Amino acid sequence: MGKTLGPFILLFVLVSLAGVKAQMADQLDFAPRLSPDQSKVVYYSYRNDSLPDLYLMDLKTLKETQLTFDYKAWDLNPKWAPNGKHIYFSSDRGGDMSIYRMVLKTMEIQRVTFPHKGYRHSEISFTSDGKIMAYCEFQPNRKTAIYLRKLDSNRDTMLIRSAQSGDEFYKPVIHPDGNELIFLKNMSNDSTPIFDVFSLDIFTENVKNITRTPNTNERMPSWSSDGKYLMYSANPDSNSFDLFKRERDSRKMVQVSFFNDKQELNSHLAHSILLFDSGYYGMAQEGNTYIYMADINGRNVWQLTK
């Protein structure tokens, strides 16, 4: 049985941050992540009239396998554990949005976080040694909190929390070395959001705006697997979103996606392989969104999902 939404996919709620409007499409594939051994890609997808499920593609055979099948649940934003044995993801299969993990060998799904009623947990990232998981808690009073969890003890520490209602953080991602965390914050005073990328030094708790672009929206930041680059989507021409790669040390920024008729949102740079989603979400033209693979500079593009 499909997770029925009607005759078409309605894309809303958790992807609204991207400026995505409700859209008609047959297939919307998002947020690809390369496995630590570089052999597989995990992502989530809206297919036909269903809510999102997780999918896995073998890069050698290009065989796609559906991983989740809960027709009533939103399964979103999968992330590989650094050991490659587990896939963590956000889901509301137990009620409020929480973090789960799948044991890839057995396909067993285990609940990882247990938010209070009305709270939501999502936005997962890890240090490269697999010892720390960062995640975000969305609270019903329009506040957010970012937590660090020691995975050997499951002990959580609150890293930062909104000072007041409406002062929310989005898309926190911990650096692979565990010393820095980046997140998005809305800088607009009106109903149209303008997001900048902020950096938080985990040890000094110093917070700074690292993009400062009042006329440009930044979206979906991520660190490269080696920590040398910050990836994010932006619309400097106030039109479609493209992907940009920023060197952590020099702060040099270059564009790495070049479709003229589509826009890109989520990306993952690992082992000189760039994965990203590209399509028509949020644009005037209706259409599907697929997963692509390219080199570190966004060239030699290869479409993975179809």
Side-chain angles (χ1 to χ4, degrees), residues 77-197:
N77 299 319
K79 301 290 174 61
W80 290 95
N83 63 14
K85 297 179 180 179
H86 303 99
I87 293 173
Y88 286 69
F89 63 100
S90 302
S91 178
D92 63 352
R93 59 182 55 225
D96 291 309
M97 187 68 66
S98 306
I99 295 170
Y100 291 78
R101 72 175 182 180
M102 174 179 288
V103 182
L104 201 56
K105 187 175 182 179
T106 64
M107 305 288 281
E108 177 189 3
I109 295 176
Q110 305 162 337
R111 190 168 181 173
V112 174
T113 66
F114 298 83
H116 297 297
K117 185 174 178 58
Y119 288 60
R120 293 176 287 126
H121 289 171
S122 63
E123 319 300 354
I124 311 150
S125 60
F126 298 93
T127 53
S128 59
D129 59 13
K131 294 181 178 180
I132 301 292
M133 177 182 76
Y135 70 92
C136 194
E137 178 179 80
F138 294 90
Q139 302 174 353
N141 54 4
R142 294 188 62 215
K143 290 184 178 181
T144 51
I146 299 172
Y147 287 89
L148 300 182
R149 170 171 291 193
K150 292 184 177 180
L151 292 176
D152 59 353
S153 63
N154 285 333
R155 181 178 178 181
D156 289 341
T157 300
M158 184 187 294
L159 185 61
I160 187 173
R161 185 187 182 198
S162 301
Q164 58 190 14
S165 179
D167 181 29
E168 297 168 292
F169 314 122
Y170 297 93
K171 298 294 176 183
V173 185
I174 195 167
H175 189 272
D177 67 12
N179 295 329
E180 182 183 2
L181 184 136
I182 49 117
F183 59 89
L184 298 176
K185 189 174 181 181
N186 182 17
M187 304 302 292
S188 174
N189 293 319
D190 57 32
S191 59
T192 303
I194 298 290
F195 289 94
D196 279 349
V197 181

Side-chain angles (χ1 to χ4, degrees), residues 10-18 20 46 74 76 97 120:
L10 294 178
L11 189 59
F12 62 106
V13 186
L14 293 180
V15 289
S16 63
L17 172 60
V20 179
Y46 301 76
W74 295 74
L76 300 162
M97 187 68 66
R120 293 176 287 126

Side-chain angles (χ1 to χ4, degrees), residues 16-278:
S16 63
L17 172 60
V20 179
K21 63 181 180 180
Q23 193 144 7
M24 303 168 95
D26 299 314
Q27 182 171 328
L28 295 169
D29 302 332
F30 289 108
R33 288 295 182 270
L34 185 67
S35 62
D37 67 1
Q38 307 170 51
S39 68
K40 300 176 181 66
V41 178
V42 67
Y43 47 94
Y44 71 94
S45 180
Y46 301 76
R47 301 286 171 94
N48 298 313
D49 63 346
S50 69
L51 290 174
D53 281 306
L54 304 189
Y55 289 79
L56 186 72
M57 178 175 284
D58 185 300
L59 288 179
K60 184 176 181 179
T61 65
L62 298 184
K63 179 182 178 181
E64 184 184 65
T65 302
Q66 186 172 345
L67 297 179
T68 60
F69 298 87
D70 191 327
Y71 72 93
K72 295 181 180 180
W74 295 74
D75 296 332
L76 300 162
N77 299 319
K79 301 290 174 61
W80 290 95
N83 63 14
K85 297 179 180 179
H86 303 99
I87 293 173
Y88 286 69
F89 63 100
S90 302
S91 178
D92 63 352
R93 59 182 55 225
D96 291 309
M97 187 68 66
S98 306
I99 295 170
Y100 291 78
R101 72 175 182 180
M102 174 179 288
V103 182
L104 201 56
K105 187 175 182 179
T106 64
M107 305 288 281
E108 177 189 3
I109 295 176
Q110 305 162 337
R111 190 168 181 173
V112 174
T113 66
F114 298 83
H116 297 297
K117 185 174 178 58
Y119 288 60
R120 293 176 287 126
H121 289 171
S122 63
E123 319 300 354
I124 311 150
S125 60
F126 298 93
T127 53
S128 59
D129 59 13
K131 294 181 178 180
I132 301 292
M133 177 182 76
Y135 70 92
C136 194
E137 178 179 80
F138 294 90
Q139 302 174 353
N141 54 4
R142 294 188 62 215
K143 290 184 178 181
T144 51
I146 299 172
Y147 287 89
L148 300 182
R149 170 171 291 193
K150 292 184 177 180
L151 292 176
D152 59 353
S153 63
N154 285 333
R155 181 178 178 181
D156 289 341
T157 300
M158 184 187 294
L159 185 61
I160 187 173
R161 185 187 182 198
S162 301
Q164 58 190 14
S165 179
D167 181 29
E168 297 168 292
F169 314 122
Y170 297 93
K171 298 294 176 183
V173 185
I174 195 167
H175 189 272
D177 67 12
N179 295 329
E180 182 183 2
L181 184 136
I182 49 117
F183 59 89
L184 298 176
K185 189 174 181 181
N186 182 17
M187 304 302 292
S188 174
N189 293 319
D190 57 32
S191 59
T192 303
I194 298 290
F195 289 94
D196 279 349
V197 181
F198 282 72
S199 170
L200 168 64
D201 186 304
I202 289 177
F203 296 102
T204 67
E205 299 183 357
N206 181 49
V207 177
K208 60 181 178 181
N209 185 336
I210 64 173
T211 53
R212 295 185 180 277
T213 51
N215 299 313
T216 298
N217 260 309
E218 281 88 33
R219 295 288 190 269
M220 308 308 189
S222 66
W223 291 110
S224 60
S225 60
D226 60 11
K228 293 181 179 179
Y229 300 100
L230 173 63
M231 305 292 300
Y232 56 87
S233 179
N235 65 339
D237 58 0
S238 298
N239 191 6
S240 62
F241 282 84
D242 292 298
L243 298 177
F244 292 85
K245 179 180 68 176
R246 173 183 166 129
E247 291 184 9
R248 189 188 189 198
D249 293 334
S250 71
R251 302 179 185 177
K252 179 183 177 182
M253 184 180 73
V254 295
Q255 184 173 333
V256 291
S257 71
F258 306 97
F259 288 120
N260 293 323
D261 60 337
K262 304 180 184 72
Q263 63 181 0
E264 294 72 55
L265 186 62
N266 300 278
S267 64
H268 183 215
L269 178 59
H271 309 287
S272 299
I273 297 173
L274 176 63
L275 295 170
F276 60 93
D277 51 49
S278 180

